[in-house]
Amino acid sequence: MTRQPVPWASPSEPVPSASPSAPRLATLVLALAACGDDLRAPFADDDPELPSLAPTEPAARSPCPGGDAAFAFRALRLIEGRRPLGVRELDVLAAMIRELDAAGLPGRRLIAEGLAQGPRYTARWHSFLLDHLRVPRLGETSFAACHGKPGPAATSPALALHLRDHGPEVPVPEDMSEWSMADLFPSALALDDLRPLLRAQLLARQAHPVGGNNVAPAELERARRVFLGRGFEAAYLGRRLECLPCHNSDASVTDHPDPAQDRSWPVLPGLETAVYGPLAAADEASAYAAFRVAGFVHGPLAPWGSRTCGDLDPARSDLLASAGHLAGPLPPGAHALDLEARLRRGLDHLAAHDLNAASDDPEAALAGLVALQLADAVWREASGRSLVLPHGQPRNREQQAVLRELADALVDHDFSLRATVVAALLHPALDLAEPSACGEALPPILDPFNATNHGDDGLRREDPWTLLDTAAHALGWRTPKRFPLPFGWEDETLVRALGVYIDDSEPGHRGQDLVAALAWERSVATGRDPGWLGAPAIDHSDTDAIARLVALARDDPDATVEHAALALHDRILQEPELSDRAHRDELTALLAVPLTTRAADLNAADLDAALRRLAGALLMSPQFTLAGLTPPPWSAPPRLTWPETTTAALCERHAAALPDLAWRCDGPAPTLAR
């Protein structure tokens, strides 16, 4: 039987309707109760034969499409790692999309590509890459001097361009000679080519191996290779050596000749065997031989001319005398430079051809696994769910099709992270109305263990860095530091509780638990700046958003407490209206001030304190701490707004990201100058 992967939704085959969803509040409660990232057991039937694979077709349409404002909300979260600065920003972006569409241009794509050009995109995806490549932030294997202190080379694609075109034996120009990985991450994002970053990080991760006491040198060396090898598999390949005999792209114990019962849908055949050799014979000694530490770490070679992230000895001497095999047989005394060269050739081969070329040779197969792992990681950022099970294979044809599309976008655009992010954002599987308005049955992409999915399957706890950054951007605070330099994190308890990746022994989590909730409450419940010391938030100023809102409200003679409260409600949750009388009563009780009171009649300190109580409650609400939930409809933006969130200011901000088009920002909505 030949597998025929199909689009996840076909225009000619309507998706059957499901029963209407629960109300919005019930959806939030159920989502909070179910938040977590545990997977149910994927093991089922046996089948020794894996059929050949056919290429996938592009995705078709969403059975429950959301509007342009919902798209803008998802775009800001995914691309810039923040929520909108209020519904005015959603109105502006939605109007720009409609204008572009009316002009015969792809509005959503152009807006997404524009957002993916700015500094917020770089900061957000720098954090993603640090976690994806499992860069330790604390502990003996961390190397903060290498990853945490960017220099001048970080501002230009020149560094990444040199590394892409040269091997580690060719030093960079003198003006970049002190470069570090903290420079290369943003430089690779500026070049929009991840190949130099993937290769350089492969060498940098060798610099601080795990230590040991009272252990024989050979045993310590063996432990170090296993530690580095398993970390490489987790970060680069998405495979686990011990799983491969039972689950690989040629055969799986969950295969079945009936597609309806088949539970293994690899994208390409033969990749694991090409990389590891015969899987029945693959073992740690051979698979991890290239991660030699003894005689390799510390030496005369400064990779690409910089010793900031370690120096290496390319000589061939092996304490363990292991015969290695990874992307083909390795030479005696193998080391990470051998693997870097193979990865470089494999990545370049795929870029010159396409993803199907991963079957051409072992080096291309290595690059193919890297591409699939990256594509799945981007999808998880967009949706909160992986397209593969823990052994690395999709569970159904719908997941296989999406993974193939994203990997194609990555490879076909020369390993462009930007193209992959935009492809994930535009995918019809994520173009959904809010769950309470989406009663259609969806393809089993987010939850492959059910025959159909529902809109609320995309609800999950927000990832740690996005949650932290969103709070900072909303209220004008500084964001938290990404590395604990120079004297530790501002709130290490909070960072750990929220599930930030620390190192391979503490890889973080995405589950909701009482410890995380209490740590978050302790940090933000007062609505006051928690004292984070990272990069400035968007539109950062000397006073935070609440202090400026108090001044704005008191300067407006007709503004009431309700106007100020709704402006803050909109800034944090993008909900500028009170839903019902009960909502109004709750708000009044929280503020402890009648909503009809004129703001100018209140003492500034009293109004400030009331609004901060409200901010703390909103920051702890499910609407804020969950991802996958777009704002409910609104009739009008709030009366009060900050200077940077007027329609004109937001129009000018986003028009600057589309320099080839002329926009008019002096009306009630952006218009293209024709």
Side-chain angles (χ1 to χ4, degrees):
M1 178 189 70
T2 300
R3 281 194 189 153
Q4 298 292 338
V6 296
W8 67 274
S10 169
S12 60
E13 298 177 3
V15 179
S17 296
S19 58
S21 63
R24 181 179 178 90
L25 180 58
T27 297
L28 291 170
V29 172
L30 290 173
L32 273 177
C35 276
D37 51 6
D38 295 331
L39 291 174
R40 283 167 275 176
F43 307 107
D45 307 303
D46 294 337
D47 181 20
E49 179 181 359
L50 179 73
S52 60
L53 304 179
T56 62
E57 298 293 332
R61 61 176 176 82
S62 169
C64 186
D68 291 331
F71 171 83
F73 182 87
R74 293 194 307 274
L76 290 169
R77 179 207 168 269
L78 179 63
I79 295 176
E80 294 196 344
R82 66 176 179 92
R83 295 174 73 101
L85 297 173
V87 297
R88 279 187 178 84
E89 186 164 22
L90 297 181
D91 284 337
V92 164
L93 289 172
M96 295 177 86
I97 291 171
R98 291 192 295 270
E99 283 285 296
L100 292 167
D101 288 343
L105 299 170
R108 292 188 178 188
R109 176 174 291 278
L110 288 176
I111 290 297
E113 291 174 346
L115 290 172
Q117 301 289 338
R120 283 303 315 153
Y121 165 82
T122 300
R124 186 259 192 275
W125 289 93
H126 185 171
S127 286
F128 159 81
L129 289 168
L130 287 170
D131 289 347
H132 175 70
L133 294 176
R134 302 173 79 90
V135 175
R137 300 177 190 270
L138 280 176
E140 66 175 333
T141 60
S142 67
F143 198 175
C146 174
H147 288 96
K149 297 180 178 179
T155 61
S156 162
L159 174 62
L161 184 63
H162 178 92
L163 268 65
R164 186 193 68 185
D165 296 340
H166 299 89
E169 71 283 354
V170 181
V172 298
E174 182 63 29
D175 62 339
M176 296 187 291
S177 61
E178 297 300 319
W179 71 271
S180 69
M181 293 302 297
D183 302 313
L184 183 57
F185 274 81
S187 181
L189 287 168
L191 182 63
D192 198 25
D193 188 337
L194 295 181
R195 287 176 289 176
L197 176 64
L198 292 167
R199 291 165 45 217
Q201 177 58 22
L202 189 60
L203 302 180
R205 63 192 299 275
Q206 297 273 132
H208 275 208
V210 65
N213 295 312
N214 300 319
V215 61
E219 293 304 313
L220 177 59
E221 174 65 13
R222 187 173 292 109
R224 284 173 161 174
R225 293 187 191 186
V226 170
F227 181 85
L228 290 166
R230 290 187 175 180
F232 171 76
E233 288 177 327
Y236 281 75
L237 306 184
R239 298 295 186 271
R240 296 169 63 179
L241 180 62
E242 60 269 31
C243 295
L244 294 180
C246 295
H247 300 280
N248 60 74
S249 55
D250 290 319
S252 173
V253 297
T254 59
D255 281 332
H256 198 281
D258 179 0
Q261 299 184 57
D262 197 349
R263 299 294 180 261
S264 182
W265 290 81
V267 173
L268 290 169
L271 299 186
E272 295 87 357
T273 299
V275 171
Y276 288 91
L279 298 179
D283 59 18
E284 292 177 345
S286 64
Y288 304 152
F291 301 100
R292 176 167 64 87
V293 173
F296 177 64
V297 175
H298 306 307
L301 175 63
W304 294 282
S306 175
R307 298 184 183 275
T308 306
C309 294
D311 43 42
L312 308 171
D313 188 344
R316 303 285 182 182
S317 61
D318 188 356
L319 178 64
L320 302 182
S322 299
H325 191 292
L326 197 62
L330 291 163
H335 43 56
L337 289 168
D338 298 317
L339 189 56
E340 183 275 333
R342 294 179 178 200
L343 181 59
R344 178 186 182 186
R345 291 191 293 265
L347 294 171
D348 289 349
H349 183 75
L350 292 193
H353 297 85
D354 58 26
L355 186 63
N356 289 324
S359 300
D360 289 353
D361 59 56
E363 294 175 349
L366 176 71
L369 289 177
V370 171
L372 292 171
Q373 170 76 341
L374 262 168
D376 180 58
V378 170
W379 178 261
R380 181 166 181 172
E381 289 295 302
S383 71
R385 303 294 184 96
S386 175
L387 292 167
V388 300
L389 297 178
H391 51 61
Q393 306 297 347
R395 192 174 189 265
N396 58 42
R397 70 175 68 198
E398 292 85 0
Q399 289 186 318
Q400 178 206 51
V402 177
L403 183 56
R404 176 62 193 247
E405 290 173 48
L406 297 185
D408 281 339
L410 177 69
V411 171
D412 293 347
H413 293 84
D414 293 335
F415 288 86
S416 163
L417 180 62
R418 185 176 294 120
T420 313
V421 171
V422 171
L425 175 66
L426 294 174
H427 199 282
L430 300 182
D431 181 18
L432 301 174
E434 67 166 75
S436 63
C438 185
E440 298 292 327
L442 306 177
I445 297 173
L446 299 180
D447 181 1
F449 296 97
N450 288 315
T452 59
N453 287 177
H454 186 265
D456 57 12
D457 285 323
L459 293 180
R460 70 276 183 191
R461 203 206 76 182
E462 186 60 271
D463 76 78
W465 289 121
T466 303
L467 181 65
L468 292 161
D469 284 355
T470 295
H473 290 306
L475 294 180
W477 303 334
R478 297 185 76 90
T479 60
K481 295 186 296 186
R482 273 11 185 203
F483 280 88
L485 294 173
F487 305 115
W489 268 306
E490 309 90 329
D491 191 344
E492 186 172 325
T493 299
L494 174 65
V495 170
R496 289 181 181 273
L498 291 180
V500 164
Y501 175 85
I502 302 296
D503 61 13
D504 280 347
S505 67
E506 195 173 346
H509 64 86
R510 295 295 181 270
Q512 177 69 22
D513 57 44
L514 182 59
V515 172
L518 290 174
W520 182 243
E521 178 182 0
R522 180 178 59 82
S523 181
V524 303
T526 64
R528 299 189 180 279
D529 189 341
W532 299 331
L533 298 174
I538 192 170
D539 301 318
H540 184 74
S541 67
D542 293 336
T543 56
D544 70 9
I546 294 177
R548 292 191 293 133
L549 177 60
V550 169
L552 287 168
R554 298 183 79 250
D555 286 344
D556 184 338
D558 297 322
T560 65
V561 171
E562 181 174 344
H563 290 137
L566 289 179
L568 187 60
H569 213 284
D570 175 57
R571 178 87 170 201
I572 297 175
L573 295 186
Q574 297 74 59
E575 295 181 11
E577 298 165 340
L578 300 178
S579 57
D580 52 32
R581 180 55 183 267
H583 191 180
R584 179 179 297 276
D585 292 343
E586 292 165 356
L587 187 60
T588 301
L590 180 63
L591 294 172
V593 179
L595 296 183
T596 55
T597 304
R598 286 197 327 135
D601 293 339
L602 278 178
N603 180 281
D606 292 339
L607 180 58
D608 183 273
L611 293 176
R612 291 190 189 279
R613 286 195 299 273
L614 174 61
L618 298 179
L619 291 174
M620 293 187 293
S621 68
Q623 292 96 318
F624 188 84
T625 57
L626 287 177
L629 186 70
T630 56
W634 61 90
S635 59
R639 172 193 177 103
L640 295 174
T641 188
W642 293 259
E644 69 271 15
T645 60
T646 63
T647 297
L650 291 166
C651 174
E652 291 169 1
R653 180 202 301 274
H654 291 296
L658 301 168
D660 295 332
L661 298 168
W663 292 91
R664 294 192 60 180
C665 297
D666 54 355
T671 56
L672 276 173
R674 294 182 173 91

